[in-house]
Amino acid sequence: MDVLTLSRLQFAATTMFHFIFVPLTLGLSILTAYMETRYVRTGDETYLKMTKFWGKLFLINFALGVVTGITQEFQFGMNWAEYSRYVGDIFGAPLAIEATVAFFLESVFIGVWIFGWNKISKTAHAVSIWLVAIATNLSALWILLANGWMQKPVGYVLRNGRAEMVDIIAVITNPYGLIKFVHTVGSGYMVAAFFVMGISAWHLLRKSRVDFFVRSFKMGSVFSLVSALLVFGSGDFHAVEIAKTQPTKFAAMESVWETQKGAGMNLFLLPDPENECNAIERLCIPNMVSMLAFHDPTAEIKGLKDFPKELRPPVQPTFWSFRLMVGMGTFTALVSLAAVILSRMKNLENKTLFLRLMVLALPLPYIAAQLGWVVAEMGRQPWIVYGVLKTSDAVSKAVTSPQVIGSLVGFTLLYGLLGAIDIYLLAKYARKGPDDDLSGIIKPATVREA
Protein backbone atom coordinates (compact mmCIF):
# COMPACT_ATOMS: atom_id res chain seq x y z
CA MET A 1 0.00 0.00 0.00
CA ASP A 2 1.11 3.58 -0.62
CA VAL A 3 1.48 6.30 2.03
CA LEU A 4 -1.90 7.84 1.17
CA THR A 5 -3.86 4.62 1.62
CA LEU A 6 -2.00 3.70 4.80
CA SER A 7 -2.47 7.18 6.27
CA ARG A 8 -6.19 7.10 5.51
CA LEU A 9 -6.46 3.65 7.06
CA GLN A 10 -4.60 4.80 10.17
CA PHE A 11 -6.70 7.93 10.62
CA ALA A 12 -9.93 5.99 10.09
CA ALA A 13 -8.90 3.31 12.60
CA THR A 14 -7.80 5.73 15.33
CA THR A 15 -10.76 8.07 14.83
CA MET A 16 -13.36 5.32 14.86
CA PHE A 17 -11.77 3.86 17.98
CA HIS A 18 -11.75 7.28 19.67
CA PHE A 19 -15.39 7.79 18.76
CA ILE A 20 -16.35 4.69 20.74
CA PHE A 21 -15.82 6.77 23.89
CA VAL A 22 -16.94 10.23 22.79
CA PRO A 23 -20.71 9.70 22.39
CA LEU A 24 -21.08 7.96 25.74
CA THR A 25 -19.19 10.81 27.44
CA LEU A 26 -21.47 13.41 25.81
CA GLY A 27 -24.67 11.80 27.07
CA LEU A 28 -23.65 10.15 30.33
CA SER A 29 -22.21 13.40 31.67
CA ILE A 30 -25.66 15.00 31.34
CA LEU A 31 -27.48 12.03 32.87
CA THR A 32 -25.04 11.93 35.80
CA ALA A 33 -25.48 15.66 36.36
CA TYR A 34 -29.27 15.28 36.29
CA MET A 35 -29.12 12.43 38.83
CA GLU A 36 -27.01 14.49 41.21
CA THR A 37 -29.36 17.46 40.78
CA ARG A 38 -32.28 15.23 41.75
CA TYR A 39 -30.35 14.20 44.86
CA VAL A 40 -29.62 17.81 45.80
CA ARG A 41 -33.26 18.83 45.33
CA THR A 42 -34.91 15.83 47.05
CA GLY A 43 -32.30 14.49 49.47
CA ASP A 44 -33.23 10.99 48.24
CA GLU A 45 -30.12 8.84 48.67
CA THR A 46 -31.10 6.56 45.79
CA TYR A 47 -30.28 9.43 43.44
CA LEU A 48 -26.93 9.82 45.21
CA LYS A 49 -26.22 6.11 44.64
CA MET A 50 -27.25 6.52 41.00
CA THR A 51 -24.86 9.45 40.67
CA LYS A 52 -22.00 7.43 42.13
CA PHE A 53 -22.72 4.28 40.10
CA TRP A 54 -23.25 5.85 36.68
CA GLY A 55 -20.62 8.50 37.43
CA LYS A 56 -18.01 5.79 37.97
CA LEU A 57 -18.77 4.28 34.56
CA PHE A 58 -18.65 7.79 33.08
CA LEU A 59 -15.17 8.37 34.53
CA ILE A 60 -13.79 5.09 33.14
CA ASN A 61 -15.09 5.97 29.70
CA PHE A 62 -13.93 9.59 29.98
CA ALA A 63 -10.34 8.62 30.85
CA LEU A 64 -10.00 6.28 27.87
CA GLY A 65 -11.57 8.88 25.57
CA VAL A 66 -9.03 11.54 26.55
CA VAL A 67 -6.08 9.20 26.00
CA THR A 68 -7.22 8.11 22.54
CA GLY A 69 -8.11 11.65 21.47
CA ILE A 70 -4.64 13.09 22.01
CA THR A 71 -3.11 11.11 19.15
CA GLN A 72 -5.61 12.53 16.66
CA GLU A 73 -4.00 15.95 16.54
CA PHE A 74 -0.48 14.52 16.20
CA GLN A 75 -1.54 12.81 12.99
CA PHE A 76 -2.33 16.15 11.34
CA GLY A 77 1.34 17.00 11.65
CA MET A 78 2.81 13.57 10.99
CA ASN A 79 0.64 12.06 8.25
CA TRP A 80 -1.18 15.12 6.92
CA ALA A 81 1.45 17.85 6.90
CA GLU A 82 0.36 19.22 3.50
CA TYR A 83 -3.18 19.52 4.79
CA SER A 84 -1.96 21.34 7.91
CA ARG A 85 0.18 23.69 5.82
CA TYR A 86 -2.63 24.47 3.38
CA VAL A 87 -5.58 24.98 5.77
CA GLY A 88 -3.94 25.08 9.22
CA ASP A 89 -4.79 28.76 9.77
CA ILE A 90 -8.48 27.95 9.57
CA PHE A 91 -8.75 24.38 10.82
CA GLY A 92 -6.43 25.07 13.74
CA ALA A 93 -8.48 27.96 15.16
CA PRO A 94 -11.51 25.98 16.41
CA LEU A 95 -9.25 23.18 17.64
CA ALA A 96 -7.20 25.70 19.62
CA ILE A 97 -10.35 27.18 21.17
CA GLU A 98 -11.55 23.69 21.99
CA ALA A 99 -8.31 22.88 23.82
CA THR A 100 -7.87 26.18 25.69
CA VAL A 101 -11.49 26.80 26.65
CA ALA A 102 -13.68 23.70 26.58
CA PHE A 103 -11.09 21.05 27.43
CA PHE A 104 -9.54 23.28 30.12
CA LEU A 105 -12.95 23.82 31.74
CA GLU A 106 -13.71 20.13 31.48
CA SER A 107 -10.37 19.08 33.00
CA VAL A 108 -10.59 21.47 35.93
CA PHE A 109 -14.11 20.62 37.01
CA ILE A 110 -13.77 16.87 36.50
CA GLY A 111 -11.10 17.11 39.17
CA VAL A 112 -13.38 19.16 41.42
CA TRP A 113 -16.11 16.57 40.99
CA ILE A 114 -13.88 13.55 41.66
CA PHE A 115 -12.09 14.96 44.72
CA GLY A 116 -14.76 17.37 45.94
CA TRP A 117 -17.03 14.88 47.72
CA ASN A 118 -17.49 16.04 51.32
CA LYS A 119 -15.18 19.02 50.73
CA ILE A 120 -17.60 21.43 49.04
CA SER A 121 -21.33 21.83 49.43
CA LYS A 122 -23.58 19.41 47.62
CA THR A 123 -24.90 22.26 45.47
CA ALA A 124 -21.41 23.31 44.40
CA HIS A 125 -20.56 19.67 43.76
CA ALA A 126 -23.58 19.27 41.48
CA VAL A 127 -22.64 22.49 39.66
CA SER A 128 -19.18 21.03 38.98
CA ILE A 129 -20.57 18.00 37.11
CA TRP A 130 -22.91 20.27 35.13
CA LEU A 131 -19.88 22.35 34.10
CA VAL A 132 -18.14 19.13 33.01
CA ALA A 133 -21.19 18.18 30.93
CA ILE A 134 -21.41 21.64 29.35
CA ALA A 135 -17.68 21.72 28.61
CA THR A 136 -17.79 18.23 27.09
CA ASN A 137 -20.54 19.31 24.71
CA LEU A 138 -18.75 22.61 23.95
CA SER A 139 -15.68 20.59 23.08
CA ALA A 140 -17.77 18.66 20.56
CA LEU A 141 -19.10 21.93 19.15
CA TRP A 142 -15.64 23.30 18.28
CA ILE A 143 -14.43 20.03 16.81
CA LEU A 144 -17.56 19.69 14.68
CA LEU A 145 -17.27 23.30 13.50
CA ALA A 146 -13.78 22.39 12.29
CA ASN A 147 -15.14 19.33 10.52
CA GLY A 148 -18.06 21.37 9.18
CA TRP A 149 -15.56 23.70 7.52
CA MET A 150 -13.98 20.68 5.79
CA GLN A 151 -17.45 19.73 4.51
CA LYS A 152 -18.47 23.26 3.54
CA PRO A 153 -15.53 25.71 3.52
CA VAL A 154 -16.56 29.32 4.28
CA GLY A 155 -14.89 32.54 5.46
CA TYR A 156 -11.57 32.07 3.65
CA VAL A 157 -9.55 33.17 0.63
CA LEU A 158 -6.89 31.30 -1.35
CA ARG A 159 -3.74 33.39 -1.03
CA ASN A 160 0.00 32.66 -1.12
CA GLY A 161 -0.67 29.06 -2.07
CA ARG A 162 -2.85 28.30 0.96
CA ALA A 163 -6.26 28.97 2.47
CA GLU A 164 -6.39 31.92 4.87
CA MET A 165 -9.24 32.84 7.18
CA VAL A 166 -10.89 36.22 6.54
CA ASP A 167 -14.16 35.79 8.44
CA ILE A 168 -14.17 33.77 11.67
CA ILE A 169 -17.87 34.58 12.24
CA ALA A 170 -18.67 32.75 9.01
CA VAL A 171 -16.69 29.75 10.25
CA ILE A 172 -18.40 29.53 13.65
CA THR A 173 -21.88 30.15 12.21
CA ASN A 174 -21.39 27.71 9.33
CA PRO A 175 -24.81 25.97 9.14
CA TYR A 176 -23.17 22.71 8.05
CA GLY A 177 -21.12 22.61 11.27
CA LEU A 178 -23.97 23.68 13.55
CA ILE A 179 -26.43 21.12 12.16
CA LYS A 180 -23.75 18.45 12.31
CA PHE A 181 -23.14 19.34 15.97
CA VAL A 182 -26.81 18.91 16.91
CA HIS A 183 -27.06 15.66 14.95
CA THR A 184 -23.86 14.22 16.45
CA VAL A 185 -24.53 15.11 20.09
CA GLY A 186 -28.08 13.80 19.67
CA SER A 187 -26.69 10.46 18.55
CA GLY A 188 -24.30 10.57 21.52
CA TYR A 189 -27.23 11.03 23.89
CA MET A 190 -28.86 7.97 22.29
CA VAL A 191 -25.71 5.96 22.98
CA ALA A 192 -25.73 7.00 26.65
CA ALA A 193 -29.45 6.34 27.05
CA PHE A 194 -29.17 2.83 25.59
CA PHE A 195 -26.08 2.23 27.75
CA VAL A 196 -28.10 3.06 30.89
CA MET A 197 -31.17 1.11 29.75
CA GLY A 198 -29.12 -1.91 28.62
CA ILE A 199 -27.23 -2.25 31.91
CA SER A 200 -30.42 -1.59 33.90
CA ALA A 201 -32.24 -4.27 31.90
CA TRP A 202 -29.41 -6.75 32.60
CA HIS A 203 -29.82 -6.22 36.36
CA LEU A 204 -33.62 -6.28 36.22
CA LEU A 205 -33.54 -9.65 34.46
CA ARG A 206 -31.70 -10.90 37.56
CA LYS A 207 -34.08 -9.08 39.93
CA SER A 208 -31.08 -7.17 41.24
CA ARG A 209 -31.69 -3.83 42.96
CA VAL A 210 -35.07 -3.45 41.27
CA ASP A 211 -36.02 0.03 42.53
CA PHE A 212 -32.59 1.47 41.65
CA PHE A 213 -32.52 0.08 38.12
CA VAL A 214 -36.20 0.78 37.35
CA ARG A 215 -35.54 4.44 38.17
CA SER A 216 -32.40 4.41 36.03
CA PHE A 217 -34.26 2.73 33.17
CA LYS A 218 -37.08 5.31 33.29
CA MET A 219 -34.58 8.16 33.20
CA GLY A 220 -32.73 6.58 30.29
CA SER A 221 -35.93 5.94 28.33
CA VAL A 222 -37.08 9.58 28.44
CA PHE A 223 -33.59 10.80 27.53
CA SER A 224 -33.52 8.32 24.65
CA LEU A 225 -36.88 9.37 23.22
CA VAL A 226 -36.05 13.08 23.38
CA SER A 227 -32.66 12.36 21.78
CA ALA A 228 -34.28 10.31 19.01
CA LEU A 229 -36.51 13.28 18.11
CA LEU A 230 -33.43 15.50 18.12
CA VAL A 231 -31.53 13.11 15.85
CA PHE A 232 -34.38 12.76 13.34
CA GLY A 233 -35.13 16.49 13.26
CA SER A 234 -31.50 17.51 12.78
CA GLY A 235 -30.99 14.63 10.34
CA ASP A 236 -33.68 16.06 8.09
CA PHE A 237 -32.01 19.48 8.03
CA HIS A 238 -28.62 17.82 7.58
CA ALA A 239 -29.83 15.96 4.48
CA VAL A 240 -31.03 19.25 2.96
CA GLU A 241 -27.66 20.87 3.68
CA ILE A 242 -25.80 17.95 2.09
CA ALA A 243 -28.01 18.03 -1.00
CA LYS A 244 -27.26 21.76 -1.44
CA THR A 245 -23.52 21.73 -0.72
CA GLN A 246 -22.33 18.21 -1.61
CA PRO A 247 -24.56 16.87 -4.41
CA THR A 248 -22.16 13.99 -5.14
CA LYS A 249 -22.41 12.74 -1.55
CA PHE A 250 -26.20 12.99 -1.59
CA ALA A 251 -26.42 11.15 -4.92
CA ALA A 252 -24.17 8.39 -3.53
CA MET A 253 -26.24 8.15 -0.33
CA GLU A 254 -29.37 7.50 -2.42
CA SER A 255 -27.57 5.82 -5.36
CA VAL A 256 -29.03 8.27 -7.89
CA TRP A 257 -27.27 7.91 -11.25
CA GLU A 258 -29.42 9.98 -13.60
CA THR A 259 -30.41 13.60 -12.99
CA GLN A 260 -34.16 13.69 -12.47
CA LYS A 261 -36.98 15.81 -11.09
CA GLY A 262 -39.36 14.33 -8.54
CA ALA A 263 -36.93 11.50 -7.72
CA GLY A 264 -38.51 8.57 -5.90
CA MET A 265 -37.02 6.40 -3.16
CA ASN A 266 -36.70 2.66 -3.73
CA LEU A 267 -36.98 0.77 -0.44
CA PHE A 268 -35.10 -2.17 -1.97
CA LEU A 269 -32.16 -1.06 -4.06
CA LEU A 270 -28.84 -2.61 -5.08
CA PRO A 271 -26.22 -0.21 -6.54
CA ASP A 272 -24.06 -1.37 -9.47
CA PRO A 273 -21.24 1.23 -9.67
CA GLU A 274 -19.37 -0.71 -12.35
CA ASN A 275 -22.24 -0.26 -14.82
CA GLU A 276 -23.34 3.10 -13.38
CA CYS A 277 -26.84 1.94 -12.54
CA ASN A 278 -28.85 0.08 -9.90
CA ALA A 279 -29.10 -3.68 -10.37
CA ILE A 280 -32.34 -3.86 -8.36
CA GLU A 281 -35.01 -1.21 -7.71
CA ARG A 282 -38.19 -2.21 -5.86
CA LEU A 283 -41.02 -0.57 -3.89
CA CYS A 284 -40.54 3.01 -5.01
CA ILE A 285 -42.02 5.83 -2.92
CA PRO A 286 -42.73 8.55 -5.52
CA ASN A 287 -40.95 11.92 -5.08
CA MET A 288 -39.51 10.95 -1.69
CA VAL A 289 -35.82 11.60 -2.49
CA SER A 290 -36.64 15.06 -3.87
CA MET A 291 -38.76 15.74 -0.79
CA LEU A 292 -35.98 14.72 1.58
CA ALA A 293 -33.36 16.69 -0.33
CA PHE A 294 -35.13 20.03 -0.78
CA HIS A 295 -38.53 19.66 0.94
CA ASP A 296 -39.96 19.94 -2.57
CA PRO A 297 -41.49 16.83 -4.23
CA THR A 298 -40.63 18.11 -7.72
CA ALA A 299 -37.04 19.28 -7.00
CA GLU A 300 -34.24 18.18 -9.31
CA ILE A 301 -31.67 15.70 -7.96
CA LYS A 302 -28.30 15.69 -9.66
CA GLY A 303 -27.27 12.18 -10.70
CA LEU A 304 -23.76 10.80 -10.31
CA LYS A 305 -23.34 10.60 -14.10
CA ASP A 306 -23.36 14.40 -14.20
CA PHE A 307 -20.02 14.42 -12.40
CA PRO A 308 -16.64 13.12 -13.65
CA LYS A 309 -15.83 9.67 -12.28
CA GLU A 310 -12.73 10.95 -10.52
CA LEU A 311 -14.87 13.40 -8.50
CA ARG A 312 -17.43 10.84 -7.29
CA PRO A 313 -17.28 9.28 -3.81
CA PRO A 314 -17.23 5.48 -3.42
CA VAL A 315 -20.90 4.58 -3.81
CA GLN A 316 -21.12 1.21 -2.06
CA PRO A 317 -19.76 2.20 1.39
CA THR A 318 -21.59 5.54 1.32
CA PHE A 319 -24.93 4.04 0.27
CA TRP A 320 -24.90 1.02 2.61
CA SER A 321 -23.61 3.00 5.60
CA PHE A 322 -26.42 5.53 5.13
CA ARG A 323 -29.11 2.88 4.77
CA LEU A 324 -27.92 0.92 7.80
CA MET A 325 -27.60 4.10 9.88
CA VAL A 326 -31.16 5.17 9.06
CA GLY A 327 -32.48 1.65 9.69
CA MET A 328 -30.81 1.39 13.09
CA GLY A 329 -31.86 4.93 13.99
CA THR A 330 -35.50 4.16 13.19
CA PHE A 331 -35.41 0.92 15.16
CA THR A 332 -33.86 2.51 18.24
CA ALA A 333 -36.36 5.40 18.10
CA LEU A 334 -39.27 2.93 18.14
CA VAL A 335 -37.65 0.97 20.94
CA SER A 336 -37.23 4.23 22.89
CA LEU A 337 -40.95 4.95 22.59
CA ALA A 338 -41.75 1.42 23.77
CA ALA A 339 -39.30 1.85 26.67
CA VAL A 340 -41.04 5.02 27.86
CA ILE A 341 -44.45 3.34 27.77
CA LEU A 342 -43.46 0.01 29.33
CA SER A 343 -41.32 1.54 32.07
CA ARG A 344 -44.40 3.53 33.25
CA MET A 345 -46.34 0.30 33.74
CA LYS A 346 -46.03 -1.87 36.83
CA ASN A 347 -43.51 -4.68 37.14
CA LEU A 348 -41.00 -3.67 34.47
CA GLU A 349 -38.71 -6.34 35.93
CA ASN A 350 -41.15 -9.05 34.78
CA LYS A 351 -41.17 -7.97 31.11
CA THR A 352 -38.44 -10.47 30.30
CA LEU A 353 -38.61 -10.43 26.51
CA PHE A 354 -38.42 -6.64 26.30
CA LEU A 355 -35.57 -6.46 28.82
CA ARG A 356 -33.58 -8.99 26.80
CA LEU A 357 -34.18 -6.88 23.71
CA MET A 358 -32.79 -3.83 25.53
CA VAL A 359 -29.63 -5.71 26.51
CA LEU A 360 -29.09 -6.83 22.92
CA ALA A 361 -29.89 -3.35 21.55
CA LEU A 362 -27.18 -1.65 23.63
CA PRO A 363 -24.56 -1.62 20.78
CA LEU A 364 -26.94 -0.38 18.05
CA PRO A 365 -26.62 3.40 18.68
CA TYR A 366 -22.83 2.94 18.82
CA ILE A 367 -22.84 1.25 15.40
CA ALA A 368 -25.25 3.81 13.91
CA ALA A 369 -23.00 6.68 15.08
CA GLN A 370 -19.95 5.07 13.50
CA LEU A 371 -21.81 4.51 10.23
CA GLY A 372 -22.80 8.17 10.23
CA TRP A 373 -19.13 9.14 10.22
CA VAL A 374 -18.46 6.71 7.37
CA VAL A 375 -21.15 8.51 5.34
CA ALA A 376 -19.72 11.92 6.26
CA GLU A 377 -16.09 11.14 5.45
CA MET A 378 -16.31 8.59 2.63
CA GLY A 379 -19.07 10.58 0.96
CA ARG A 380 -16.83 13.67 0.84
CA GLN A 381 -14.11 11.90 -1.18
CA PRO A 382 -12.01 12.56 -3.20
CA TRP A 383 -11.89 15.84 -1.27
CA ILE A 384 -10.43 16.36 2.22
CA VAL A 385 -11.76 19.95 2.09
CA TYR A 386 -14.73 19.85 -0.25
CA GLY A 387 -13.98 21.58 -3.54
CA VAL A 388 -10.72 23.06 -2.21
CA LEU A 389 -8.14 20.37 -1.47
CA LYS A 390 -8.05 16.74 -2.53
CA THR A 391 -7.12 14.04 -0.04
CA SER A 392 -4.32 12.87 -2.31
CA ASP A 393 -2.73 16.35 -2.12
CA ALA A 394 -2.98 16.56 1.67
CA VAL A 395 -0.78 13.66 2.73
CA SER A 396 2.74 14.27 4.07
CA LYS A 397 5.55 14.09 1.55
CA ALA A 398 8.24 13.30 4.08
CA VAL A 399 6.87 10.04 5.51
CA THR A 400 7.35 6.60 3.98
CA SER A 401 5.13 3.53 3.86
CA PRO A 402 7.25 1.54 6.38
CA GLN A 403 6.98 4.46 8.83
CA VAL A 404 3.21 4.60 8.54
CA ILE A 405 2.96 0.80 8.80
CA GLY A 406 5.02 0.98 11.98
CA SER A 407 2.81 3.63 13.59
CA LEU A 408 -0.35 1.85 12.39
CA VAL A 409 0.74 -1.40 14.01
CA GLY A 410 1.69 0.49 17.16
CA PHE A 411 -1.65 2.28 17.36
CA THR A 412 -3.53 -0.98 16.71
CA LEU A 413 -1.74 -2.81 19.51
CA LEU A 414 -2.00 0.10 21.96
CA TYR A 415 -5.63 0.84 21.21
CA GLY A 416 -6.47 -2.87 21.31
CA LEU A 417 -5.02 -3.01 24.82
CA LEU A 418 -6.88 0.15 25.89
CA GLY A 419 -10.11 -1.22 24.44
CA ALA A 420 -9.72 -4.47 26.36
CA ILE A 421 -9.05 -2.53 29.60
CA ASP A 422 -12.10 -0.32 29.00
CA ILE A 423 -14.43 -3.25 28.35
CA TYR A 424 -13.07 -5.14 31.36
CA LEU A 425 -13.52 -2.19 33.74
CA LEU A 426 -16.96 -1.19 32.44
CA ALA A 427 -18.22 -4.78 32.61
CA LYS A 428 -16.73 -5.29 36.09
CA TYR A 429 -18.30 -2.22 37.68
CA ALA A 430 -21.55 -2.48 35.72
CA ARG A 431 -22.06 -6.05 36.95
CA LYS A 432 -21.14 -5.09 40.52
CA GLY A 433 -23.99 -2.61 40.77
CA PRO A 434 -24.36 0.39 43.10
CA ASP A 435 -22.47 0.71 46.35
CA ASP A 436 -24.62 1.05 49.49
CA ASP A 437 -21.81 2.45 51.61
CA LEU A 438 -22.15 6.23 51.47
CA SER A 439 -19.84 6.96 54.38
CA GLY A 440 -17.46 9.74 53.52
CA ILE A 441 -19.89 11.17 51.00
CA ILE A 442 -21.76 14.42 51.52
CA LYS A 443 -25.08 14.17 53.30
CA PRO A 444 -27.63 16.90 53.98
CA ALA A 445 -26.95 17.06 57.68
CA THR A 446 -23.18 17.49 57.35
CA VAL A 447 -22.95 19.79 54.39
CA ARG A 448 -21.19 23.12 54.65
CA GLU A 449 -23.22 25.39 52.40
CA ALA A 450 -21.16 27.33 49.87
Side-chain angles (χ1 to χ4, degrees):
M1 289 186 187
D2 58 15
V3 172
L4 173 63
T5 304
L6 287 166
S7 294
R8 290 183 65 189
L9 183 60
Q10 179 173 293
F11 199 83
T14 54
T15 303
M16 292 180 81
F17 187 83
H18 175 58
F19 203 71
I20 291 173
F21 306 101
V22 173
L24 182 58
T25 297
L26 290 170
L28 200 52
S29 60
I30 293 177
L31 280 170
T32 305
Y34 179 70
M35 290 167 187
E36 187 164 1
T37 302
R38 294 283 293 169
Y39 165 64
V40 171
R41 295 186 65 180
T42 66
D44 186 338
E45 289 191 353
T46 299
Y47 287 118
L48 177 58
K49 293 175 186 175
M50 290 168 68
T51 304
K52 294 291 290 181
F53 175 71
W54 296 109
K56 183 179 291 182
L57 300 181
F58 162 72
L59 288 176
I60 294 169
N61 185 78
F62 178 84
L64 271 294
V66 170
V67 171
T68 56
I70 292 172
T71 57
Q72 298 301 104
E73 301 201 17
F74 285 117
Q75 290 182 76
F76 291 123
M78 294 188 297
N79 298 64
W80 303 99
E82 292 304 309
Y83 168 80
S84 299
R85 184 194 65 78
Y86 196 80
V87 302
D89 281 1
I90 304 169
F91 189 78
L95 292 188
I97 297 171
E98 185 270 334
T100 55
V101 178
F103 188 63
F104 180 77
L105 185 67
E106 191 179 9
S107 303
V108 168
F109 283 96
I110 195 76
V112 173
W113 191 71
I114 293 171
F115 299 107
W117 292 105
N118 215 22
K119 294 183 177 62
I120 58 177
S121 75
K122 60 181 182 179
T123 302
H125 196 268
V127 169
S128 69
I129 188 64
W130 273 113
L131 289 173
V132 171
I134 292 169
T136 298
N137 283 264
L138 278 177
S139 181
L141 172 64
W142 289 109
I143 291 170
L144 289 167
L145 284 175
N147 184 270
W149 186 84
M150 295 169 70
Q151 307 284 349
K152 181 186 177 184
V154 294
Y156 74 102
V157 294
L158 295 178
R159 189 163 51 201
N160 303 319
R162 57 205 291 272
E164 296 179 1
M165 185 189 296
V166 294
D167 187 355
I168 191 171
I169 299 300
V171 175
I172 63 178
T173 58
N174 185 351
Y176 202 110
L178 294 175
I179 295 172
K180 194 177 184 68
F181 165 71
V182 176
H183 194 58
T184 304
V185 297
S187 68
Y189 301 162
M190 289 282 287
V191 167
F194 271 73
F195 181 83
V196 170
M197 288 192 292
I199 292 174
S200 298
W202 188 87
H203 279 279
L204 290 173
L205 283 167
R206 288 157 180 77
K207 304 295 187 288
S208 163
R209 310 298 298 268
V210 171
D211 177 61
F212 179 96
F213 284 109
V214 166
R215 289 200 204 187
S216 296
F217 191 98
K218 285 181 178 178
M219 206 175 284
S221 67
V222 173
F223 194 51
S224 179
L225 185 58
V226 173
S227 303
L229 295 174
L230 187 67
V231 170
F232 272 87
S234 60
D236 178 57
F237 285 106
H238 201 25
V240 173
E241 191 66 24
I242 291 171
K244 284 194 301 185
T245 59
Q246 296 187 24
T248 51
K249 178 190 287 185
F250 188 85
M253 286 161 55
E254 298 292 351
S255 192
V256 177
W257 295 93
E258 306 285 349
T259 297
Q260 51 190 298
K261 290 185 177 180
M265 173 183 285
N266 292 286
L267 296 182
F268 294 97
L269 189 152
L270 186 62
D272 181 2
E274 190 172 333
N275 295 305
E276 299 186 324
C277 65
N278 295 322
I280 298 174
E281 292 180 347
R282 296 286 187 277
L283 298 179
C284 181
I285 303 175
N287 305 99
M288 181 55 78
V289 170
S290 292
M291 191 67 190
L292 291 174
F294 297 105
H295 294 167
D296 177 357
T298 62
E300 180 180 274
I301 304 297
K302 285 277 188 184
L304 287 163
K305 287 184 178 179
D306 272 13
F307 302 93
K309 283 187 178 181
E310 65 272 18
L311 296 183
R312 299 176 193 168
V315 174
Q316 295 283 22
T318 308
F319 171 81
W320 287 113
S321 296
F322 179 66
R323 287 267 167 144
L324 288 170
M325 178 192 71
V326 172
M328 289 182 187
T330 304
F331 177 76
T332 51
L334 294 174
V335 168
S336 300
L337 178 60
V340 170
I341 295 171
L342 293 176
S343 64
R344 265 63 189 167
M345 297 178 179
K346 291 182 179 178
N347 302 322
L348 174 64
E349 67 275 15
N350 293 331
K351 296 177 173 51
T352 307
L353 190 60
F354 180 70
L355 292 175
R356 286 178 179 165
L357 172 67
M358 295 309 299
V359 174
L360 294 174
L362 194 157
L364 292 184
Y366 276 104
I367 298 171
Q370 295 279 0
L371 290 172
W373 277 108
V374 173
V375 175
E377 301 305 301
M378 293 291 284
R380 193 186 58 223
Q381 299 305 316
W383 303 98
I384 193 166
V385 178
Y386 195 78
V388 175
L389 181 66
K390 287 187 176 177
T391 308
S392 56
D393 296 327
V395 73
S396 297
K397 296 176 181 176
V399 296
T400 62
S401 292
Q403 289 173 327
V404 184
I405 290 173
S407 58
L408 177 57
V409 171
F411 278 130
T412 302
L413 293 174
L414 176 62
Y415 280 22
L417 176 64
L418 291 174
I421 292 172
D422 181 66
I423 291 170
Y424 168 76
L425 290 175
L426 286 177
K428 175 184 175 181
Y429 288 105
R431 279 199 299 263
K432 184 180 177 185
D435 193 348
D436 286 327
D437 182 9
L438 298 178
S439 59
I441 299 177
I442 55 174
K443 291 185 178 180
T446 60
V447 168
R448 288 181 291 108
E449 292 298 336

